[in-house]
Amino acid sequence: MGPMIEQKYRTCNLCEAMCGMVVTLDDGAITDIRGDRDDVLSRGHICPKGPAMRELYEDPDRLRKPMRRTAQGFAPAPWDEAIAEAADRIHEIQKRHGKNAVGVYLGNPNVHNHGALLMGQAFLMTLRSRNRFDANSQDANPKLYASLMMFGDPTSITIPDLDRTDYFLVLGANPAASNGSVMTLGDVRGRLRGVRERGGRLVLIDPRRTETAAYADEHHFIRPGGDPALLLAILQVIFAEGLFDAAAVARRARGLEVLQAIAARFPPERVAAAIGIEAATIRAIARGFAGARRAVAYGRVGVCTNEFGPVGSWLVEALNVVTGNFDRAGGAMFTRPAIDIAGIARSTGMARHGRYRSRVRGLPELSGMLPATTMAEEMETPGEGQIRALVTLAGNPVLSVPGGDRLARALGKLDFMLSLDIYLNETTRHAHLVLPPRSALERGHYDVVFHALAVRNTVKWSEPVMPPDPDTRDDWDILYDLSLRLTAKRKGPLAEKAAGLALRLGRIGSERAIDALLRMGPYGDRFRPWRGGLNLDKVRRAPHGIDLGPLVPMGRERVRTRDGRVELCPGPLVANVDRVERWIAAPPPERLSMIGRRHVRSNNSWMHNLRSLVKGPDRATLQMHPEDAVRAGLTTGSSVHVTSRAGEVTARLEITADVMPGVVSLPHGFGHAEAAATLRVAGAVPGPNANVVTDEHLLDPITGTAVLNGVPVTVTAVP
Ligand SMILES: Nc1nc2c(c(=O)[nH]1)N[C@H]1C(S)=C(S)[C@@H](COP(=O)(O)OP(=O)(O)OC[C@H]3O[C@@H](n4cnc5c(=O)[nH]c(N)nc54)[C@H](O)[C@@H]3O)O[C@H]1N2
Ligand SMILES: Nc1nc2c(c(=O)[nH]1)N[C@H]1C(S)=C(S)[C@@H](COP(=O)(O)OP(=O)(O)OC[C@H]3O[C@@H](n4cnc5c(=O)[nH]c(N)nc54)[C@H](O)[C@@H]3O)O[C@H]1N2
Ligand code: SF4
Ligand SMILES: [Mo]
């Protein structure tokens, strides 16, 4: 028999875009990965990371066996022994010091992994620690908070209806590099181009002329943190010139008069100098937006992770509502996903804010998670509730959380640390035990989260591409085993409840869990297959996915305030308008303002061990505008110190007019030298850890989200 060529369809789980891929196997070995032209959402689009999944699968540095730290370094350990030991240690520490003595950090890949997501709930329930942290406190929490305040539910998240809009106002997002965030769009380039091909307009507001600027009609630099002031000035113009949709607002929202009174304080002339956008430009944007048949404003990481994150996120939604672009085609819409994840979050009581606060700094929880910037001090500060052990689930906080070096020191002093991770990296090297799940290609895949954030309602299931290696487990299996071993040591109704959930999930398995959720979902067959609704079998038979149609108005279900109206002026947000006013009036800052950036060949901190992605130029330079470079007497290619209140790193300088004067840009996720022994490719990649410079004490005061954009820094030549 000759070699066997097979093609398998697979959804990429690396970022939010959910690209469909065709994987070619020759005699069981991957020979090619490319975009699936027939995919219902991505239509053939793919980025360089998709094909790199082969390298990730083959990466010799990727862990295949549990690793235990010994005096001589890490050594492999048998699965049962390692998991039993982990459960023993966690139980022992919680028994002696209380539940909160064990902290958990959940990183980004969890939301791209249905098994980890579902069984993770059972594990968290088992642990019952309040010291839970996730990557959202460096990401989307301000947007979720704005949703809670305005729509009554943090999971009621609006998505720009990109395919049908005539005016797309993008603030602080770079979809051409990130491939979209809280806006799953597949075929990002085609869809961005589509706005202009339809005769629409794309206006981009960003302190850096990004890759997305190539798709925009206009790009305007904005001083970091300036979005609330800009949005208030846009609203001022819209109200003063009577350009708002009074009928739509009367039908859908309350608080218009208050918003009008607030906006009246911010005429464009008053904000222009502070934000760096001329008054005439602000007026033109306001008129263009309000005058477009269908328009939508969209703000992402640049709007969320700055000192005004929740305020900016609120005003983005408010602009959509007052112009009548809320919950209608071409505007800001809710999705109707096949798995009702919002309903699940509600039923588990997760969708809340501020029920309790962190012990040391009093930062509020959101949906059961505390801000990750407080982890280090919770480990260092003695007393009842001090974190003495940490579990990281698919996270690399040493590179992704402000105060990364302080955190690394704190990790080194823990009584016990367990990591579920595929690499021995900057974070997991501090663990006592590392339990590596199998490759994503060895498990089935369903995007529970990102189908719910997509610009079109679609549904897709991916079969495993590769047979699982013998003696390996996936995140689901590991979390299941850990949960059962832990609950077995405990008594009482809560332990029983947690064990019950783990057992129920374990009995049906992750695939049938997805089947059940699909069948109970809004398109589901309700376990009556003859009635023709969705179930996993049906989805399985459509390897390119099933198109469930464009977004439809969902406001009736998704606005969950008491009277079903959108709250245009939530009290805690209105209370922060004074801060915006003070920011405008403050004298121009003396220090430079540091922002981040993303590159299409990178994915946060963990894909730098793949040669195909890191080859080429240094992508972790500090970018600076020529005017600032001349003033400081710095030249391209030179080595510079970047210093903030929190810390200092050395970076290579890149002088470019693509950043705004007064702004410097340094990407996060680099700084792998410490882990060079176990990340042999990444260890040689240049670039410092940007989160040594970002400041764990610089947070938005409402949700405690880290200020990753707009960090005051000085830049000096390395002598
Ligand atoms: N300065 C600055 N900092 C930032 C940001 C920024 O813009 N600027 N962005 C922030 C944002 S938006 C985010 S989401 C966070 C991300 O923060 P994190 O989630 O902490 O960081 P990642 O780099 O995504 O790390 C993922 C980890 O999961 C592991 N991993 C990968 N796949 C799997 C898997 O299938 N199973 C398991 N168990 N492990 C796996 C990887 O090896 C890695 O250790 O970073 C934030 N930090
Ligand atoms: N290639 C790649 N793709 C990714 C990731 C990755 O690391 N690499 N990470 C994934 C993750 S976890 C996320 S959350 C998403 C993020 O997706 P995006 O939000 O689209 O990506 P960012 O590049 O962080 O975009 C933020 C933009 O805000 C700008 N900015 C900074 N400060 C301000 C400000 O004050 N106001 C305004 N208006 N703009 C500002 C920055 O210059 C930057 O261009 O990307 C995801 N996709
Ligand atoms: S854009 Fe790239 S990383 Fe994101 S899903 Fe598509 S192929 Fe994967
Ligand atoms: Mo993120």
Side-chain angles (χ1 to χ4, degrees), residues 328-343:
R328 80 159 183 200
M333 301 190 80
F334 299 115
T335 62
R336 191 165 184 264
I339 289 183
D340 178 20
I341 182 169

Side-chain angles (χ1 to χ4, degrees), residues 12-19 21 45-51 178-179:
C12 177
N13 64 299
L14 296 173
C15 88
E16 304 182 30
M18 300 199 300
C19 295
M21 310 189 297
H45 175 272
I46 196 169
C47 89
K49 296 187 290 298
S178 70
N179 284 297

